[in-house]
Amino acid sequence: MPTYAYACKDCGHAFDIVQSFADSSLTSCPECEGTLRKKFNSVGVVFKGSGFYRTDSRDSKGSSVSPAPAAAPAAQAASPAQAAAAS
């Protein structure tokens, strides 16, 4: 079950409490019955290893798109039939 941090807006009393996800948020301070606010901290989850980034599934070249083939020179592109017809 997660631990939530609360602080009172009126007296400044701060405390942590373990609550279920299904429990509703606390609204009154246990010290002065003032209004509470929930404090948010950084998330304690760290993802390590491969598979968490878009680039992890790509090939070693870094791109999944192959380049367009280069155009062949005009002398090599002519077929033998075209060369005979030109003569």
Side-chain angles (χ1 to χ4, degrees), residues 28-58:
S28 62
C29 176
E31 298 286 322
C32 71
E33 299 298 320
T35 307
L36 286 179
R37 67 178 176 86
K38 191 181 283 189
K39 294 169 49 176
F40 294 97
N41 297 322
S42 61
V43 177
V45 177
V46 178
F47 295 105
K48 294 184 177 181
S50 63
F52 295 105
Y53 298 98
R54 188 174 121 176
T55 56
D56 284 349
S57 62
R58 297 197 179 197

